[in-house]
Amino acid sequence: MSQTTSKQTTTLAGEEVPYEVSWSDDATQPRIDADIDGITVVLPAEADEDPEAILADNAGWVIEKKAKFEQYRNQVPDRAFEAGEQFPYLGADYELVIEPRQRSAVVDETIRLRRSAVEQSSVKRALRNFYRRTARAYFTERLNRYAEEMGLEYGTLQIRNQRTRWGSSSTSGTISLNWRLLMAPPEIVDYVIVHELAHLQEPTHRDSFWAIVAEYDPEYEDHRQWLEQN
């Protein structure tokens, strides 16, 4: 559980920086998250650290990330969420179709949403539900394949809506993957899956970890860079 305050503003290196503060039961130490939605200082639930002091100690990094994500934000399509728009699916743009059907699905390079699902909520929500459901099936198939190849066992798969992570793994063997990964090319999905499975064997990012990743994804550096840019 987490609680997020209203947005605040501080000044770093002469530049105004809007940010949020979030207290999280899952956080074990203070951290700064930066993504396309902005800057967030995440604190453990009982922490009393000063968010502005944390930002000031990391001013250079914060300013750099703020500029990068502002650039990305300008590239985000202005979507109306209506039939005929293009939405990414496994690295390609698919036309959105809304029609009477029993189940939303991908058909002939189109994303076809069930009309009743749209009428009960909205195009945006029905589309998100389609992504999440389809992501679970696709990610499960890829996870099982690589887990077998790598000789590893994972516990469960969770489909998450993380703001700042594509995936994560826990010591209990739970693999969490961001449903938005379904928009990325298949080789990018595979890289994230290999990355998280490798953490079950090596928790840190030491050289031995990257050696495991490289064994099953020789082009992981390119795939890692793609995620940074997208």
Side-chain angles (χ1 to χ4, degrees):
M1 178 182 294
S2 63
Q3 175 187 357
T4 304
T5 70
S6 59
K7 284 193 174 184
Q8 304 179 38
T9 301
T10 188
T11 301
L12 301 176
E15 180 175 342
E16 284 196 353
V17 177
Y19 70 97
E20 293 182 349
V21 181
S22 174
W23 285 270
S24 172
D25 293 333
D26 296 329
T28 57
Q29 58 185 5
R31 72 174 190 267
I32 304 172
D33 286 346
D35 63 15
I36 200 166
D37 293 323
I39 303 295
T40 302
V41 179
V42 182
L43 301 173
E46 303 301 325
D48 58 1
E49 282 90 347
D50 180 3
E52 289 206 17
I54 295 172
L55 291 170
D57 289 342
N58 298 274
W61 183 89
V62 172
I63 294 296
E64 177 186 351
K65 294 298 183 182
K66 176 176 177 289
K68 182 181 77 170
F69 284 110
E70 283 177 348
Q71 178 183 358
Y72 290 166
R73 193 179 301 119
N74 293 333
Q75 300 170 4
V76 174
D78 184 13
R79 300 194 184 280
F81 289 94
E82 59 187 22
E85 280 189 286
Q86 301 281 325
F87 288 87
Y89 175 81
L90 291 178
D93 287 334
Y94 281 41
E95 182 182 351
L96 186 65
V97 176
I98 302 171
E99 63 181 12
R101 58 184 299 113
Q102 291 186 334
R103 189 180 182 89
S104 299
V106 169
V107 181
D108 297 331
E109 299 185 358
T110 61
I111 298 175
R112 296 180 175 265
L113 295 183
R114 180 166 57 92
R115 185 183 300 279
S116 59
V118 171
E119 292 173 346
Q120 291 168 8
S121 54
S122 64
V123 172
K124 187 174 184 179
R125 179 166 295 181
L127 182 63
R128 177 172 294 194
N129 289 341
F130 157 79
Y131 274 123
R132 291 186 69 114
R133 174 176 55 80
T134 308
R136 176 170 292 280
Y138 184 80
F139 295 167
T140 297
E141 187 274 326
R142 304 308 290 170
L143 259 174
N144 290 343
R145 173 194 162 179
Y146 278 105
E148 182 177 358
E149 286 188 16
M150 299 169 72
L152 297 169
E153 292 185 4
Y154 68 95
T156 59
L157 167 64
Q158 292 186 351
I159 304 300
R160 302 287 297 275
N161 188 37
Q162 298 122 309
R163 291 183 59 190
T164 59
R165 292 184 179 182
W166 290 110
S168 62
S169 59
S170 71
T171 54
S172 64
T174 297
I175 302 292
S176 299
L177 297 173
N178 193 320
W179 62 264
R180 292 177 179 84
L181 264 179
L182 195 66
M183 301 179 184
E187 62 270 20
I188 303 301
V189 178
D190 285 353
Y191 159 68
V192 175
I193 286 173
V194 168
H195 185 115
E196 299 310 332
L197 284 171
H199 272 313
L200 299 182
Q201 186 170 340
E202 173 51 66
T204 68
H205 285 115
R206 63 181 64 182
D207 290 346
S208 57
F209 167 83
W210 292 114
I212 297 171
V213 174
E215 181 177 354
Y216 297 95
D217 182 7
E219 299 179 7
Y220 79 88
E221 291 182 344
D222 291 339
H223 300 156
R224 186 182 180 189
Q225 184 65 28
W226 188 95
L227 285 173
E228 282 288 323
Q229 296 174 349
N230 292 271

